[in-house]
Amino acid sequence: VKDLFTSWSRTKNYRIIDECMSGHCELTDTCATDLRVLNRANGEELGACPNELKREFFREYAHDERMDTVDAFLCHHATGLCEVFLAFGRPLIAVVSTRYEIGRTEAWAWRRLNANLVAIASDSRNTIAANNRYDAEYLKHFTGLKEVRVIPNFCGYIKDKYSPTQPEILIGPGRMSQPGKVLRDQLKLNSRMGQQILSKRLRT
């Protein structure tokens, strides 16, 4: 969503507070610096007792000066983080990027997230979307939601261009999935039929 932050920041009516807990936030210089209660260790799964963590977060920020200026919350990855903001009663924008249930590995946690997403979708102030068609349909399948908007990522702000200099194709990872193995075997078969295809392991 960097493209949104970039475009919104040019508009006087918007101010973005970006408190990122991603393991890659150093690359974009967006790491959370003064966030309380939530951190990288508990931000995805919400700790051993999610309800208590949510209550603690609300108590900590219910009368926070900066939080009082917030008009809406954006939850991207992980989408389930929106559960933390429900108690504030402000508009929520949940954009699914990769398997919306990330961080909800237990059946009860996934079911709770589904119920909360349905509740979020029922409020016209909120938006639930996905950045690709697959995850939109995936979300609809498991939640029963009928409408999930697709808002593709726009990376036009990146100046680099894809200019390959080698003919190799990376089809990893090392612990290759079944579809990856099928592709590998097909490439090997094509190689034996006369096509010049080199297959090698990057690691063991």
Side-chain angles (χ1 to χ4, degrees):
V1 292
K2 180 176 170 58
D3 57 301
L4 293 180
F5 290 174
T6 301
S7 60
W8 286 351
S9 64
R10 300 193 193 102
T11 306
K12 294 181 180 180
N13 295 334
Y14 291 96
R15 182 170 69 92
I16 307 299
I17 300 174
D18 189 359
E19 295 284 5
C20 183
M21 293 181 286
S22 165
H24 299 93
C25 62
E26 290 87 357
L27 300 175
T28 54
D29 194 27
T30 56
C31 295
T33 55
D34 58 355
L35 195 61
R36 305 187 299 276
V37 182
L38 289 176
N39 53 58
R40 286 187 185 179
N42 63 23
E44 191 170 283
E45 298 186 7
L46 304 186
C49 185
N51 285 335
E52 178 55 36
L53 185 80
K54 287 184 284 186
R55 284 191 291 267
E56 182 183 356
F57 186 83
F58 181 76
R59 287 192 297 264
E60 183 69 25
Y61 283 97
H63 303 292
D64 179 79
E65 183 177 348
R66 186 171 68 153
M67 185 67 85
D68 287 343
T69 69
V70 173
D71 295 312
F73 299 101
L74 170 65
C75 314
H76 197 267
H77 186 85
T79 310
L81 193 58
C82 267
E83 291 185 298
V84 173
F85 303 121
L86 275 168
F88 292 91
R90 298 172 200 172
L92 298 171
I93 306 169
V95 182
V96 177
S97 58
T98 306
R99 306 310 89 82
Y100 76 95
E101 79 282 3
I102 185 172
R104 305 297 183 269
T105 53
E106 299 291 337
W108 63 268
W110 192 347
R111 286 193 294 266
R112 183 198 63 208
L113 175 60
N114 286 346
N116 281 332
L117 288 172
V118 170
I120 290 170
S122 68
D123 188 332
S124 61
R125 300 177 304 159
N126 301 330
T127 298
I128 292 187
N131 69 357
N132 63 88
R133 176 62 63 188
Y134 179 89
D135 279 296
E137 296 300 326
Y138 183 89
L139 180 60
K140 288 194 287 186
H141 175 79
F142 284 102
T143 61
L145 292 173
K146 302 301 181 185
E147 297 293 333
V148 176
R149 295 178 60 187
V150 176
I151 306 177
N153 285 357
F154 174 71
C155 299
Y157 58 89
I158 297 176
K159 296 183 174 23
D160 294 326
K161 301 294 183 183
Y162 177 63
S163 302
T165 57
Q166 296 177 317
E168 290 85 2
I169 301 172
L170 179 64
I171 59 170
R175 52 186 186 280
M176 192 176 292
S177 63
Q178 186 59 34
K181 292 177 181 177
V182 171
L183 176 58
R184 178 200 60 196
D185 294 342
Q186 184 63 49
L187 288 172
K188 287 182 177 179
L189 176 62
N190 290 348
S191 179
R192 288 196 295 269
M193 296 175 64
Q195 297 185 22
Q196 295 184 350
I197 300 176
L198 174 63
S199 175
K200 62 180 178 180
R201 296 182 66 87
L202 296 180
R203 61 185 179 187
T204 57

